[in-house]
Each structure stands twice: as structure tokens, then as C-alpha cells.
Amino acid sequence: MAKLQRILVILGHPDAESLCAGMAHAYADGARHAGAEVRFLDVGQLAFDPLFQGYGAAQPLEPDLAAAQADIAWAGHLVWVYPIWLGAMPALLKGFIDRAFVPGYAFKYRTGSSLWDKLLSGRSAELLVTMDSPPWYFRFVTRMPGHHQMKKAILEFCGIRPVRVHSFGPVRGASRERLAQWVEAARQLGARQARRAAQPGHGVAPGVPSAATASSAKR
């Protein structure tokens, strides 16, 4: 019997009324209506100190961060929705990751070795990333620093794979019709992810990445 996929949608834009927020809620709705179990995490609504003091500092987790870690552990598929600002994710989202993806939870260095254990293995991820520059410019001119950071240096470092990236832009100057199309595309991605996971042979984790849209690319 196929099991329901557990999907956690993480909104990384500080503005709850942003395009990213609309896309995140649309993805969650699409996945939920297609049969997935969905939880929603709005980083901008969490109460925590985003300034990481370093691995040697005593910095206990706030209740909201502990709850976020529990949601990530629960999920088989993580969906991150956020904008690119000056080449990378917003500082608030980076602060959340710095505080939540700590040694002993997300990874663990091995004693006497340069290798590490990837403690979040068994999960897949999907990134819905908006930007003011055209996605082709971000890819070929600036070389996608934000995508590489999130995919390679953060998620895959902790064992989360595969990671699929969907780029949406340019947002600046986009028509209302174009913005609505992106929100609907997010809804369809959520529904497709839930349906693919519900097929025989697919369980809760890892999730099955959805097919790329015209504005997305597998990195």
C-alpha cells in the first residue's frame, strides 16, 4: 500500500503578503488536495534569534526552533519558498538555517576524520525561488550562488537529496497575469508531488521530485 507523503512547506520570505507567500500556500493547497499530509512553516512568524553565535557558543533553541526541527524530522519532502536578494536567500532564512541545522541534528562530524554523518538523509527537497533578474542571467552570468549554497552546501551536506530547483523571474515588472501564473504553477507542483508519491512503490520518504516547468531547472 502506498503511504501519504509528508510534505513540509517552508516560507522563507519575511513578508506574509509576498508573492513567495502566495506560492507557498498554493503549493501546500495543491499537495493537500492531492492527498498529501502537509505542514506549513512561516519563518517570518517564528520567535527566535536569527544571529547564530557559533558552534562553540551555548545558544539553546527557542521553542519555535525546536518545533521547526520536529517538523523537519517529520517530513519526507521539504519545500523551500524564498526570494533571491543580492544573489542569495534573505538573511532571516539563513539565520533560521544556521540556528536549526546544528551539529547533532542536521549533521555530525566524525572524530579524527574530515568526513561527517548526514543526519537528515532519507528526505528530498524542492526549492521555489523568485528573483528580479531573469533566471537565465542568474544561471549563466552570476552562476547561481544562492542555488548552489542551498542545494550543495546546506541540504545535500545534511543528506537531503534529490533537490530540485524551480526559478521564477523576473518578478520586477511582471504583470498581474504573470504573477498569477506562477502561483498556479506552484499549486500544480504541489499536486504533482503528492500524486507521484502516492503511486505504488513510493513511500513517505524520500519524496519524488516533480517534473520541471518551463521556468524551472534541475540543478
Side-chain angles (χ1 to χ4, degrees):
M1 293 291 293
K3 298 179 180 179
L4 293 180
Q5 171 141 58
R6 296 174 177 176
I7 297 177
L8 175 63
V9 178
I10 303 169
L11 173 59
H13 196 303
D15 184 357
E17 302 298 322
S18 63
L19 169 63
C20 284
M23 293 174 66
H25 285 289
Y27 188 106
D29 289 343
R32 190 177 293 113
H33 289 152
E37 293 185 78
V38 181
R39 294 183 184 179
F40 195 93
L41 181 61
D42 185 346
V43 175
Q45 299 301 312
L46 303 183
F48 73 102
D49 181 1
L51 183 58
F52 182 50
Q53 300 296 330
Y55 293 124
Q59 193 173 10
L61 291 180
E62 293 87 346
D64 280 359
L65 283 186
Q69 284 188 339
D71 284 340
I72 292 169
W74 166 86
H77 188 66
L78 306 175
V79 182
W80 304 77
V81 189
Y82 59 93
I84 289 291
W85 290 347
L86 295 176
M89 69 183 73
L92 180 65
L93 180 57
K94 183 57 165 59
F96 167 77
I97 294 171
D98 286 343
R99 293 292 318 281
F101 281 48
V102 291
Y105 172 79
F107 62 94
K108 181 181 179 182
Y109 290 118
R110 299 176 185 175
T111 303
S113 173
S114 59
L115 301 178
W116 67 99
D117 295 321
K118 302 177 180 183
L119 303 183
L120 295 180
S121 296
R123 294 165 183 81
S124 58
E126 199 167 2
L127 315 181
L128 279 63
V129 188
T130 64
M131 57 190 68
D132 281 337
S133 62
W136 66 262
Y137 185 92
F138 189 63
R139 180 176 185 179
F140 294 110
V141 179
T142 60
R143 301 294 182 177
M144 306 184 297
H147 289 355
H148 290 309
Q149 177 192 35
M150 188 62 157
K151 181 179 187 293
K152 296 291 186 182
I154 296 175
L155 299 179
E156 290 185 356
F157 178 83
C158 299
I160 300 171
R161 59 184 311 164
V163 178
R164 193 169 189 85
V165 183
H166 307 275
S167 300
F168 298 85
V171 174
R172 187 170 180 266
S175 65
R176 297 182 66 176
E177 291 77 13
R178 186 60 170 154
L179 299 178
Q181 288 174 0
W182 288 335
V183 172
E184 181 58 26
R187 188 185 313 278
Q188 294 301 320
L189 287 170
R192 188 177 305 167
Q193 174 64 31
R195 288 195 297 265
R196 292 281 295 276
Q199 293 174 359
H202 296 301
V204 174
V208 180
S210 60
T213 65
S215 59
S216 67
K218 189 172 183 180
R219 311 292 187 199

